[in-house]
Amino acid sequence: MSDTISPLARPFPMMPPIAGVALHTVRAGYKDWGRCDLTYVELAEGTSVAGVFTRNVCCSSEVELGRQNVGQGQARALVVNAGNSNAFTGYRGREAVEAIMDQVSAHLHTPREQVFVSSTGVIGVPLPKDKARAGIAAAFTAPLATWEEAARTIGTTDTFAKGATATAVVGEATVTLAAIIKGSGMIAPDMATMLGYIFTDADVAPAFLQAALSAANARTFSCITVDSDTSTSDTVLAFATGKAGNPRIDDENSPGADAFAAALAAVCRDLAQLVVRDGEGAQKFITVQVSGAVSDDSARRIGLAIANSPLVKTAIAGEDANWGRVVMAVGKAGEPADRDRLSIGFGGTWAARDGQPLPDYDEAPVAAHLQGRDITIEVDIGLGQGRATVWTCDLTHGYIAINADYRS
């Protein structure tokens, strides 16, 4: 992880242990850095699993195998490697993943399909099997790690460890969720985000866990962008150990299902926003609120067009109230829009209404708003009831510097 902390960082929260989850971190040496780079998580027997994965067609073998295995609904272990994404590595990359799965499977006496592996880092370099084998062996006997240690271990260009927690009442039991995530650049997932892992002691059927995660993802991870680039490795996995003693949540009609789904969505939203707050070179956290679109999906696509616009992002970085750039981004989104119904605002101050500048528009409060760290852009399309919120960050010289030196 970077030595320089983002000015938008949030402190790592106090996160309780989750029954049935054991965290371990070790240094496998996937990259020449003096820190742990392998997180190994053992999960209780009977743990349910759900996942969402990148839509990048050049995805890693970890993603391909995870996508295949998540359908069987059970998990016993998670391995996360940092420093090497093992993507675009052909059969050698797949062999490395399968070797990790086999090693953990033999150790736990569990089917290989219940072992999930993620890797993040440089693309195009096969994961070294010898380092993986030694790292996994060390992890089996490593002391228990904290949530923050696990979060730091999976980071690459991240500048701070990211975690979130929530609780929900299911029946007469209180269930707990704890989650960690890594991500700073190459963020425009269209499904999930870099690498995120959610753990809960709730007893949840795999099918409902998948439905709840997919629904949460649509409103959180799929609504963030740093640079419009979708990673080859994006993965979000949710694990439910069933140790809380709650009545099993089988479907949306089960007691407590709504409360659990709401808690899961809250954790996903917190994680997604933390990734944006750690956007490479970011100085400002930007919320784009779109209303009046023909549908929620249309509003989301318009919001992402604004959030992905280099012209909008650099204007915010320069604290320039150039609302014409927002108009441009709406028009290029490919979604229904009417120039003469469009309204644009910043931080609660409308600059333009119904397709034209307001005659009494005062730029002073907008300029003051743009000098802050948290920026809001409001857009009313004026055509319907569709609405969406998208989160992004500004685009600064820091982004160029980080990515110019990434491989070194």
Side-chain angles (χ1 to χ4, degrees):
M1 295 180 69
S2 172
D3 293 330
T4 303
I5 299 176
S6 167
L8 306 174
R10 292 289 185 263
F12 197 85
M14 295 292 295
M15 289 172 47
I18 298 293
V21 177
L23 307 169
H24 308 269
T25 61
V26 297
R27 184 182 178 188
Y30 292 119
K31 190 175 179 179
D32 186 18
W33 48 22
R35 66 170 180 85
C36 292
D37 54 6
L38 187 154
T39 293
Y40 169 65
V41 186
E42 284 193 14
L43 302 161
E45 291 187 33
T47 294
S48 298
V49 64
V52 286
F53 302 87
T54 183
R55 293 179 180 173
N56 190 309
V57 296
C58 295
C59 65
S60 66
S61 294
E62 287 86 337
V63 168
E64 290 179 333
L65 290 165
R67 188 183 288 131
Q68 291 174 18
N69 295 340
V70 77
Q72 49 83 32
Q74 299 290 308
R76 282 299 316 280
L78 168 69
V79 177
V80 188
N81 307 300
N84 182 320
S85 77
N86 198 37
F88 201 67
T89 52
Y91 73 91
R92 289 179 296 173
R94 188 178 182 92
E95 286 178 349
V97 184
E98 292 177 337
I100 292 172
M101 295 168 68
D102 287 339
Q103 186 177 357
V104 176
S105 172
H107 175 70
L108 295 177
H109 307 289
T110 194
R112 187 174 78 172
E113 293 74 21
Q114 294 186 15
V115 179
F116 291 81
V117 182
S118 298
S119 299
T120 180
V122 175
I123 294 172
V125 180
L127 194 72
K129 294 180 184 178
D130 56 341
K131 292 182 178 181
R133 187 179 303 109
I136 294 295
F140 290 154
T141 58
L144 290 175
T146 66
W147 290 113
E148 186 169 5
E149 288 170 338
R152 290 190 179 279
T153 296
I154 67 176
T156 50
T157 60
D158 303 60
T159 73
F160 65 94
K162 306 172 184 68
T165 185
T167 59
V169 176
V170 180
E172 297 183 356
T174 297
V175 303
T176 304
L177 298 86
I180 59 175
I181 199 164
K182 66 84 53 181
S184 184
M186 205 182 289
I187 306 289
D190 196 25
M191 46 56 61
T193 189
M194 293 296 89
L195 300 179
Y197 308 101
I198 303 160
F199 305 89
T200 179
D201 54 9
D203 188 357
V204 185
F208 180 77
L209 187 62
Q210 183 64 60
L213 179 62
S214 296
N217 163 68
R219 301 189 302 274
T220 59
F221 298 122
S222 285
C223 291
I224 64 172
T225 180
V226 167
D227 46 25
S228 80
D229 287 330
T230 300
S231 169
T232 57
S233 306
D234 291 347
T235 298
V236 171
L237 293 170
F239 304 96
T241 66
K243 297 296 184 180
N246 63 281
R248 184 175 176 85
I249 303 175
D250 287 310
D251 55 40
E252 61 183 9
N253 297 315
S254 298
D258 288 348
F260 174 79
L264 178 63
V267 165
C268 291
R269 183 183 63 250
D270 289 347
L271 294 179
Q273 292 187 6
L274 287 171
V275 170
V276 172
R277 288 187 174 278
D278 203 16
E280 290 173 343
Q283 298 293 309
K284 298 180 185 293
F285 177 83
I286 305 170
T287 300
V288 181
Q289 297 175 338
V290 179
S291 61
V294 295
S295 69
D296 290 348
D297 286 342
S298 181
R300 174 182 170 272
R301 286 189 283 269
I302 292 170
L304 286 171
I306 298 167
N308 280 325
S309 167
L311 288 177
V312 172
K313 291 159 73 71
T314 50
I316 298 300
E319 300 176 354
D320 179 11
N322 190 342
W323 53 268
R325 293 185 175 183
V326 179
V327 174
M328 172 278 301
V330 172
K332 76 168 186 177
E335 293 297 316
D338 185 336
R339 177 197 62 199
D340 296 330
R341 297 187 182 185
L342 186 61
S343 301
I344 308 291
F346 296 90
T349 300
W350 292 99
R353 279 283 198 186
D354 299 323
Q356 56 187 326
L358 290 173
D360 58 349
Y361 170 54
D362 180 4
E363 193 168 293
V366 174
H369 177 68
L370 294 181
Q371 290 174 5
R373 293 291 189 187
D374 285 28
I375 309 301
T376 302
I377 300 174
E378 297 107 344
V379 176
D380 188 343
I381 306 300
L383 294 180
Q385 301 301 313
R387 60 180 57 246
T389 301
V390 171
W391 300 281
T392 189
C393 57
D394 57 344
L395 181 58
T396 70
H397 295 288
Y399 181 87
I400 298 171
I402 291 167
N403 284 284
D405 297 334
Y406 181 67
R407 292 202 300 168
S408 58

